[in-house]
Amino acid sequence: MAHILEMQVQSKWNNSFTRLNRGEPGIAGLLSFSQAWKTATGFLYPRDLNDPAPRPEYSIHEVRTSFELLSKAKMLPLLMENFLEDMRKQQHLIERDIHKYMAEYEETDTPDAIARMLFRLVEWYKAWSPIPELGSILLSAYTLAFQTHIYSTFPPSFSRGFKQLIASTFSLVNASCPPPWALPADPQPSTSAAPARPDLPLWSACEALGLLDRYESLIASVCYEYIEAHVMETCAKKWEESMLTYLREWMAEKVVPWMVMPYARGARTAEEARQMLQGVGSRFDYHVCKTLCDLRLQEIFDIIVDFPDSQPALEDLKECLIRVDQRSELVRTLRKANKKRLLHPGADTQVILNQYVSIMRCLRFLDPPGVLLYKVADPIRKYLRERPDTIRCIVANLVGDGESEDSIVDENEPIQPLQQRQADDYNDPNWEPEPIDAGPDFRTNKPTDVISTLVSIYDSKDLFVKELQVLLAQRLLAVTDGNYEKERRNIEILKIRFGEAALQVCEVMLRDMTDSRRIDQHVQAQKPMPLHPTIISRHFWPPLQTSSFNMPGQFKEIQDAYAKEFHQFKPDKKLHWLPHLGTISLDIELQDRTVSAEVPPLEAAIIEHFSTKDTWGVADLATEMKIERAAALKAIMTWVDLGVLKEEDSGMYKLLEVAEAASSSSKPVARPVIEDLPSVLTVQQQQAEQMKVFWKFIEGMLTNLGALSLVRIQNMLKFAPGYDRTIDQLAEFMEAARREGLVTVKDGAWKLQR
Amino acid sequence: MEMEEKEKDNETTRPSNARLEVCDQRVKIKKWHAIAQWRWDTGNNDPEDDGEGDVCGICRVPFEGCCPSCKMPGDDCPLIWGECTHVFHMHCLLQWIGTASSKQQCPMDRRPWVTAERKVD
């Protein structure tokens, strides 16, 4: 057994010897091998660059022969191992350098130290590198070992510094002066035809050290950040011009030349470079779009506010949205902004409407099918529906209030009938399916005009017509000069929108105006009078405020006289005055002065009373005129302000025949006193009036049946004619009644308060 | 007769105005824009009548409204007075009279319809 083992060792040894000795006589072969090994290892030995001792010279011929010999003896793998082992032992030299430069970097925080370190590392790399003639295997093994080593030696702060360094190269693209870290003893032959880029050596160094591959994402991120910073700097709040074109030019001018270095340094021709840059270039172009898109999305609310001045920004955004799918982000951002900035009690309804209209226009532009608009508009519409004055506001816009410059109705938009949502027409050859991100409840809404969209916030247009009637009544009653052509024109326009039938009532109102004028002309011809009434057809006007007082003295005379003339002109009709409505322009002639004023009838009636008796108590006056004390006092105050009346004792007022000097005359005498008390009941007031009727029903119900739940009350009220309230409205009403102490509620059952 | 009455009326009002002007020198009305409603003079002179008012017995629409076939109230849709003192929208009554089953009777009291010359006053 031992014998066999010995035999085996023997033969192995013989084999090795034969291989190393290569069949030469004696051990000559062995000796020459030993010599060659020594030369080769000595040649490859990694030396200390900082060692001032001169590097031993080797003739290239000798080295090559040695390697051939070793190769023949199949000892190259062993040599390589030996070399790498030597390298490992010498690594501390490089480490020392790295630490030195990194310490410098940490201290100064400028990337110069990093750059110098890279150049130094390249020197190390070159110094230790075996000559290429020795075969690519050796070279690549060396490179791998070298790079592995330096990567493991880099401290964590290296990537930060490297990033800074890369970032600093952007400024070098078109720079003429060399960077601070440029080496005067540049080993690269930079005397080629084209002027060498100052950052070329750096990139070569990076490539030599394999940094480009290892830090590829870092380099890209530097570029991304560069783009982002530039976009933020140049494009923020700049909506009046298209920035995308500019950004692309900027990319071509600044970024692409830079990209040539990290991504297409090997290119020999421009065409080749272009091809090499194509992939990475489109990635950066995407990033430009993405950044701009993100920026614009952040600003979207203000862009919409600025619309149409911000049209170019929207064009940019539209193009970006095609490249970058950020539609859902747009919806999310805009909804959030709307919620935060628009849909709160602090915002005027008019403002909300204006913004809504702008949103409509903008989103229609971005996305013609309207999916985005549908998603964004939904909360706005819901919110508007809950606002009490939305309809009034829309109607005011419809008839062109003239108050606000930017009416929501586009003058250029053709006036057309309200459009109803239509079902899909599958016979339409241009039919397109719903967009992919349309929700299940999305209805294809064809681009409709603004008014139709606004009116469709509500389920029926009746509310609009009602509100319109109130508005029209308010305006017509305020017309004193007989000029209501504007209203007539408005009604004509609205007829187109709402249909003739819906506006029949308004038609009657307008005709009342014309008739009143004609009647007045006739009456004045018979008997000139200062009174010019507007005679209206009740049932066709919204309910007007009622009052029970009567005009005194000469006013009453004039009214009666006019009514008489009217009756003679229209024998089968008579006049019923609404004494508290209208305005009277009058002169009060006092001993030392004449006061002119334009006042509501109540004020005129008060002063008329004072002309029969100099001093009145508020309470007496109120009783005399059958009005409330507060109303009387308010009217008196008007005259006190004008310096016509003066409070003597508490509640006693006296006519000032002679103007009082200081206190009262300091007041502006000619102050126009126009009561803006709305003479027409608003829709809400009308509803409240109506509710009074239903209260009678409720009262009866609760009397007869005892305590009832809200649902029961609601169900029973449904039998009442004209009852159209929701249970929520009823609940609100009952709650109001409870506050007034009319009812109590216990366990959800309402009963009358006894 | 009527003319005379009118003149008489004017005569009675004018002196009263003059009298007022004397004692009411203080307040001079320059211009007065007032609001009034017209009513049919149906003889129902309830001044407190602010409600819906009387309705036509045929269409149940207030007199000051208009009959179902009209759009404009007032002179375009006048009333008609019968000698039986019943009042209707003229269009409503004429349509009623036009039907065979009406037998030319007032729909309220079934007396033969006779249109009053003038309104009952």
Side-chain angles (χ1 to χ4, degrees):
Chain A
M1 189 64 183
H3 181 68
I4 295 170
L5 193 64
E6 200 178 305
M7 290 281 283
Q8 274 179 346
V9 170
Q10 179 87 29
S11 85
K12 267 243 163 137
W13 191 89
N14 278 339
N15 273 348
S16 302
F17 178 80
T18 324
R19 204 177 68 219
L20 293 179
N21 207 20
R22 301 174 310 281
E24 298 211 3
I27 55 165
L30 210 55
L31 283 177
S32 62
F33 170 78
S34 159
Q35 181 61 37
W37 178 264
K38 202 171 161 201
T39 313
T41 50
F43 173 74
L44 287 176
Y45 187 74
R47 256 155 256 283
D48 185 0
L49 277 181
N50 297 322
D51 187 0
R55 187 189 159 99
E57 290 295 324
Y58 289 92
S59 86
I60 190 73
H61 176 70
E62 194 188 343
V63 172
R64 200 166 292 160
T65 346
S66 309
F67 272 93
E68 267 163 26
L69 198 131
L70 292 179
S71 170
K72 264 187 214 144
K74 300 203 174 83
M75 287 302 280
L76 279 182
L78 202 64
L79 180 71
M80 201 158 86
E81 245 168 64
N82 182 274
F83 167 60
L84 294 178
E85 180 61 25
D86 282 346
M87 238 179 90
R88 207 178 52 75
K89 283 181 190 152
Q90 292 289 77
Q91 273 168 0
H92 63 274
L93 298 171
I94 299 180
E95 265 169 49
R96 209 176 56 207
D97 265 8
I98 289 180
H99 289 316
K100 192 183 86 189
Y101 283 112
M102 285 311 293
E104 194 189 324
Y105 164 70
E106 308 254 325
E107 211 171 282
T108 57
D109 201 39
T110 50
D112 302 354
I114 302 281
R116 282 203 299 279
M117 178 175 81
L118 295 182
F119 290 130
R120 181 66 177 173
L121 285 173
V122 173
E123 275 177 49
W124 281 105
Y125 176 74
K126 283 187 183 142
W128 289 8
S129 171
I131 51 172
E133 284 90 337
L134 301 184
S136 60
I137 299 177
L138 182 58
L139 196 61
S140 62
Y142 160 73
T143 309
L144 184 67
F146 186 86
Q147 289 178 354
T148 314
H149 174 238
I150 59 169
Y151 297 158
S152 67
T153 314
F154 284 149
S157 57
F158 172 76
S159 35
R160 188 162 55 88
F162 187 59
K163 207 167 166 178
Q164 282 180 15
L165 181 64
I166 300 293
S168 74
T169 58
F170 276 103
S171 58
L172 298 175
V173 171
N174 296 326
S176 49
C177 60
W181 35 262
L183 298 177
D186 192 2
Q188 286 281 329
S190 58
T191 47
S192 49
R197 288 258 301 267
D199 53 338
L200 182 63
L202 179 71
W203 292 112
S204 309
C206 290
E207 194 187 27
L209 297 174
L211 291 173
L212 289 188
D213 290 336
R214 184 172 167 84
Y215 288 101
E216 193 188 3
S217 62
L218 185 140
I219 293 170
S221 80
V222 168
C223 190
Y224 287 153
E225 279 167 28
Y226 184 61
I227 290 172
E228 279 162 25
H230 185 78
V231 170
M232 291 296 166
E233 190 189 319
T234 54
C235 303
K237 309 247 171 220
K238 270 191 99 171
W239 306 322
E240 294 82 19
E241 50 186 305
S242 170
M243 296 311 284
L244 202 57
T245 332
Y246 157 76
L247 283 176
R248 291 209 160 121
E249 275 166 20
W250 171 78
M251 284 287 287
E253 220 167 82
K254 293 271 179 184
V255 181
V256 172
W258 175 86
M259 275 158 55
V260 170
M261 277 296 139
Y263 297 108
R265 239 155 9 83
R268 281 180 297 272
T269 63
E271 177 61 22
E272 212 175 284
R274 211 179 55 78
Q275 279 195 340
M276 288 168 89
L277 287 178
Q278 210 165 34
V280 68
S282 73
R283 233 167 63 209
F284 285 132
D285 183 59
Y286 177 88
H287 196 73
V288 169
C289 289
K290 171 103 165 48
T291 314
L292 187 63
C293 187
D294 286 351
L295 177 69
R296 290 293 181 248
L297 288 188
Q298 276 170 31
E299 301 169 330
I300 186 75
F301 189 88
D302 294 300
I303 292 179
I304 293 174
V305 170
D306 273 17
F307 188 80
D309 293 346
S310 54
Q311 176 88 16
L314 285 172
E315 279 161 18
D316 280 355
L317 185 58
K318 188 177 186 180
E319 198 175 335
C320 290
L321 279 176
I322 295 170
R323 270 218 82 184
V324 190
D325 185 25
Q326 292 283 66
R327 286 162 61 97
S328 56
E329 181 65 18
L330 169 76
V331 171
R332 209 183 56 78
T333 318
L334 192 51
R335 280 176 78 135
K336 205 168 138 202
N338 280 340
K339 190 157 186 272
K340 188 172 161 223
R341 297 180 55 181
L342 195 63
L343 307 181
H344 57 75
D348 203 36
T349 307
Q350 181 65 43
V351 172
I352 299 180
L353 282 176
N354 280 342
Q355 181 73 354
Y356 178 35
V357 170
S358 291
I359 287 175
M360 264 186 241
R361 300 215 168 106
C362 291
L363 293 189
R364 277 279 180 214
F365 173 76
L366 289 179
D367 169 53
V371 179
L372 293 183
L373 177 61
Y374 177 77
K375 290 183 177 174
V376 171
D378 206 38
I380 305 177
R381 294 168 67 88
K382 277 197 183 120
Y383 183 82
L384 281 174
R385 210 173 298 155
E386 281 165 18
R387 279 222 166 191
D389 59 339
T390 303
I391 296 185
R392 198 174 316 145
C393 211
I394 294 175
V395 170
N397 276 290
L398 277 181
V399 297
D401 233 350
E403 282 171 16
S404 54
E405 285 279 308
D406 44 358
S407 172
I408 54 175
V409 186
D410 190 353
E411 294 291 324
N412 305 323
E413 209 168 79
I415 299 155
Q416 47 191 338
L418 291 184
Q419 293 170 9
Q420 300 293 326
R421 204 180 291 284
Q422 291 147 356
D424 273 358
D425 176 12
Y426 294 105
N427 293 325
D428 180 2
N430 299 321
W431 180 87
E432 279 181 20
E434 286 174 359
I436 194 150
D437 53 348
D441 50 351
F442 171 76
R443 288 149 298 184
T444 10
N445 44 2
K446 301 253 157 46
T448 50
D449 66 321
V450 168
I451 298 300
S452 299
T453 317
L454 288 179
V455 171
S456 71
I457 291 178
Y458 295 88
D459 294 330
S460 88
K461 60 181 185 184
D462 295 354
L463 287 169
F464 283 89
V465 174
K466 222 170 186 174
E467 196 66 59
L468 190 68
Q469 199 188 344
V470 170
L471 192 83
L472 183 70
Q474 272 169 1
R475 289 179 173 209
L476 288 181
L477 292 186
V479 167
T480 52
D481 55 356
N483 183 6
Y484 45 87
E485 281 314 305
K486 195 167 147 252
E487 321 300 335
R488 177 171 292 288
R489 191 180 148 265
N490 280 330
I491 294 296
E492 290 301 327
I493 292 172
L494 289 169
K495 263 198 216 161
I496 304 176
R497 290 196 194 281
F498 286 93
E500 196 121 347
L503 292 179
Q504 181 53 39
V505 170
C506 298
E507 238 349 80
V508 174
M509 289 160 75
L510 281 174
R511 211 201 48 171
D512 280 347
M513 297 300 288
T514 337
D515 284 356
S516 303
R517 219 162 141 208
R518 223 182 51 240
I519 291 168
D520 192 50
Q521 272 163 6
H522 177 87
V523 171
Q524 299 293 341
Q526 302 295 313
K527 184 178 176 193
M529 270 184 268
L531 175 59
H532 306 278
T534 298
I535 301 164
I536 62 176
S537 305
R538 62 174 185 165
H539 307 303
F540 293 86
W541 288 65
L544 301 172
Q545 282 182 349
T546 52
S547 170
S548 55
F549 89 97
N550 284 320
M551 294 302 282
Q554 56 169 335
F555 293 98
K556 178 90 180 128
E557 304 272 350
I558 295 177
Q559 274 182 344
D560 290 348
Y562 200 101
K564 197 163 194 143
E565 286 297 328
F566 175 81
H567 192 61
Q568 267 161 20
F569 183 43
K570 305 254 176 199
D572 46 2
K573 286 185 192 164
K574 58 189 179 182
L575 278 187
H576 175 83
W577 295 100
L578 300 170
H580 54 296
L581 300 179
T583 47
I584 301 173
S585 145
L586 43 74
D587 281 343
I588 303 156
E589 288 171 2
L590 299 165
Q591 273 178 20
D592 63 335
R593 68 201 190 280
T594 303
V595 177
S596 298
E598 193 172 308
V599 290
L602 182 61
E603 268 81 342
I606 295 263
I607 205 67
E608 179 71 10
H609 278 291
F610 272 96
S611 63
T612 54
K613 190 175 127 188
D614 270 358
T615 313
W616 281 91
V618 180
D620 296 341
L621 205 51
T623 322
E624 172 83 16
M625 295 174 66
K626 293 188 221 151
I627 55 174
E628 286 186 17
R629 196 174 178 279
L633 191 62
K634 190 162 165 280
I636 288 174
M637 287 331 274
T638 309
W639 292 115
V640 173
D641 282 351
L642 285 167
V644 177
L645 296 182
K646 185 183 180 243
E647 183 166 20
E648 292 228 297
D649 303 312
S650 60
M652 295 299 286
Y653 289 85
K654 186 178 183 298
L655 185 70
L656 291 174
E657 278 290 355
V658 180
E660 290 223 331
S663 61
S664 53
S665 64
S666 66
K667 306 245 178 182
V669 173
R671 191 173 72 101
V673 185
I674 305 291
E675 276 291 305
D676 53 356
L677 189 82
S679 50
V680 183
L681 297 184
T682 61
V683 174
Q684 279 98 335
Q685 283 169 318
Q686 289 179 37
Q687 282 177 347
E689 282 293 316
Q690 221 181 344
M691 210 60 205
K692 277 185 198 158
V693 178
F694 297 128
W695 169 245
K696 291 278 172 241
F697 286 105
I698 298 172
E699 209 176 9
M701 234 183 265
L702 295 180
T703 312
N704 293 332
L705 303 170
L708 290 177
S709 74
L710 201 61
V711 182
R712 284 270 322 262
I713 299 176
Q714 170 78 359
N715 283 339
M716 292 179 78
L717 277 177
K718 276 183 191 159
F719 295 112
Y723 183 79
D724 57 352
R725 305 303 151 88
T726 65
I727 191 148
D728 291 336
Q729 286 169 321
L730 178 68
E732 238 168 70
F733 175 76
M734 292 303 286
E735 188 55 34
R738 190 187 62 78
R739 280 197 296 273
E740 283 182 35
L742 297 170
V743 288
T744 55
V745 62
K746 199 180 166 199
D747 301 332
W750 297 84
K751 68 178 199 190
L752 286 179
Q753 177 90 34
R754 303 273 173 203
Chain B
M1 173 67 180
E2 272 177 42
M3 288 297 286
E4 279 173 25
E5 259 178 29
K6 204 199 281 179
E7 273 173 29
K8 231 163 78 187
D9 279 350
N10 285 349
E11 274 165 21
T12 50
T13 47
R14 262 186 212 128
S16 76
N17 270 357
R19 183 181 52 80
L20 278 167
E21 271 160 27
V22 171
C23 69
D24 275 338
Q25 275 175 351
R26 284 189 185 127
V27 179
K28 278 240 171 73
I29 304 167
K30 286 192 290 193
K31 194 180 174 197
W32 181 4
H33 173 236
I35 315 286
Q37 290 172 340
W38 62 265
R39 304 275 166 92
W40 290 114
D41 191 359
T42 54
N44 175 4
N45 275 324
D46 183 7
E48 298 302 310
D49 177 27
D50 277 333
E52 289 294 287
D54 287 340
V55 297
C56 165
I58 298 174
C59 67
R60 312 297 298 164
V61 174
F63 288 138
E64 281 86 12
C66 51
C67 77
S69 51
C70 277
K71 282 183 174 167
M72 290 290 178
D75 296 342
D76 290 352
C77 185
L79 302 187
I80 192 164
W81 279 263
E83 285 192 339
C84 56
T85 74
H86 289 126
V87 188
F88 303 97
H89 286 130
M90 187 174 78
H91 300 146
C92 294
L93 186 91
L94 292 183
Q95 205 184 344
W96 161 252
I97 296 292
T99 58
S101 57
S102 73
K103 296 177 194 155
Q104 313 284 308
Q105 291 167 340
C106 166
M108 303 295 264
D109 55 16
R110 297 278 164 192
R111 274 156 56 184
W113 177 264
V114 184
T115 306
E117 276 299 307
R118 264 294 269 121
K119 66 188 168 70
V120 270
D121 207 350

